[in-house]
Every structure is written in structure tokens, then in C-alpha cells.
Amino acid sequence: MDRFVVVFENAPLDPPGWFKEACLAAGLTLVDNEAIATAMSKNEESRRALLSAESGFGSEPKVLAPHYRAALDKVAAGKSRLALHGSAWLQYVSPVAACILDFSGLESERAKGRPGMTRQQVEARVEAIKKVVRDRAKEHLADDRILELAVGGDEKAKGEQIARLIEGLGAR
């Protein structure tokens, strides 16, 4: 089945309400990562692959990709327009039409700090995560298919930007 897939990243948070609304407006089905995990846990081969992986989701893409794709096929059966949460999906699913990056959660973490970490450690952690996510997106997609949303921007405006990007890709 041909699919139109948009990957959304907003670590370390769950998908926010405005993102769910933007997916609905763009005709995308947001796939629940918990449903993927459940499907994989019920498959012996997938369980073995996950347990042998060095660090779980996002690791060993060549080994884990077939298992994530199989779980996605099961969970999203019959759906052709999908939104996936987490940039690690870029390593498991191809082709991906676009990637939406929202670093608001990371910036909130930067502002609040983290227990047991110095300000410098928090700064370094936030910048390292942003670099990994941006690099991963650029590895798999052209720049015009990556949308980095303004931190703390208006939720309605974010949804409109996502809709414009998807429309610009000719997908509706």
C-alpha cells in the first residue's frame, strides 16, 4: 500500500492537542506508539530483536526496521495517510513525505532545568538532542520537507504551517 507519512518530533513530550488537531485537519491518522509497542510485544521475533538491540527505539535501524514496519502495517491497516510521533521513525519507514520538528518541550526543559544536572549539563543535553534530531531529519529528507516550528509559537499558527507544508507537497 502506498502511504503518505509525516513524522512529528517534539521530545520529550507526547503529541500535544494542537498536533492531533493539525493531523485531523490534514487528513492524517496519528498512529499511537503504545499500540506499536503492544503489537511488537505480541510478536516473538520482534521481542527478540528489541531485546537484542543496544538501546531500544532509534537503535539498530537495519535490524529493527522490519519489525517496526510490520507493527505499523498491523496497527495502521487500511490507513494511507499517517502521522508518526518520534524522529526515530525516519529510520524505519520509507518514504516519508515530511518531518515536523517542535523543540518547545526541550526549550521548556532548558528553562526549568533538570534535577541533578547543572545548568551547563542541561544546556549541553538540549543542544545535543536538537542536533541528533535535526541531523536525522536531514539524513532522510530534503530541507524543503523539514519544518521546524517556532518555539512557543501560537498553536493555531503551527497547525496552519503544517497544513501548508502538506498541501505544498501536493498531498490532500
Side-chain angles (χ1 to χ4, degrees), residues 14-96:
D14 290 330
W18 67 263
F19 175 68
K20 294 173 184 175
E21 291 172 18
C23 289
L24 184 62
L28 300 172
T29 299
L30 178 58
V31 177
D32 180 12
N33 282 342
E34 288 298 319
I36 296 293
T38 298
M40 290 179 75
S41 73
K42 293 179 180 178
N43 180 293
E44 184 62 33
E45 281 185 52
S46 294
R47 268 198 322 272
R48 277 196 307 270
L50 281 171
L51 291 173
S52 69
E54 289 182 22
S55 64
F57 196 73
S59 67
E60 302 186 40
K62 289 180 182 172
V63 172
L64 296 178
H67 301 284
Y68 278 100
R69 283 193 303 266
L72 180 62
D73 289 345
K74 183 175 183 172
V75 170
K79 306 289 184 185
S80 62
R81 296 175 54 81
L82 304 177
L84 302 174
H85 184 246
S87 64
W89 279 108
L90 293 167
Q91 302 171 102
Y92 301 138
V93 177
S94 182
V96 171

Side-chain angles (χ1 to χ4, degrees), residues 27-171:
L28 300 172
T29 299
L30 178 58
V31 177
D32 180 12
N33 282 342
E34 288 298 319
I36 296 293
T38 298
M40 290 179 75
S41 73
K42 293 179 180 178
N43 180 293
E44 184 62 33
E45 281 185 52
S46 294
R47 268 198 322 272
R48 277 196 307 270
L50 281 171
L51 291 173
S52 69
E54 289 182 22
S55 64
F57 196 73
S59 67
E60 302 186 40
K62 289 180 182 172
V63 172
L64 296 178
H67 301 284
Y68 278 100
R69 283 193 303 266
L72 180 62
D73 289 345
K74 183 175 183 172
V75 170
K79 306 289 184 185
S80 62
R81 296 175 54 81
L82 304 177
L84 302 174
H85 184 246
S87 64
W89 279 108
L90 293 167
Q91 302 171 102
Y92 301 138
V93 177
S94 182
V96 171
C99 183
I100 313 300
L101 305 177
D102 183 1
F103 294 123
S104 297
L106 281 172
E107 291 301 332
S108 175
E109 186 174 287
R110 181 195 312 259
K112 289 188 296 192
R114 286 182 61 94
M117 293 179 80
T118 67
R119 170 57 79 204
Q120 281 183 310
Q121 289 170 322
V122 171
E123 294 285 334
R125 180 182 189 282
V126 167
E127 290 308 315
I129 292 170
K130 288 168 87 171
K131 181 179 180 351
V132 166
V133 170
R134 285 179 179 130
D135 288 352
R136 184 181 288 156
K138 289 180 181 192
E139 178 182 338
H140 294 277
L141 295 168
D143 287 345
D144 65 339
R145 292 178 174 270
I146 301 168
L147 174 61
E148 186 169 329
L149 300 169
V151 171
D154 176 75
E155 293 180 1
K156 183 177 179 183
K158 288 180 180 184
E160 290 169 355
Q161 284 182 285
I162 293 168
R164 277 194 305 275
L165 174 65
I166 291 170
E167 288 172 15
L169 296 173

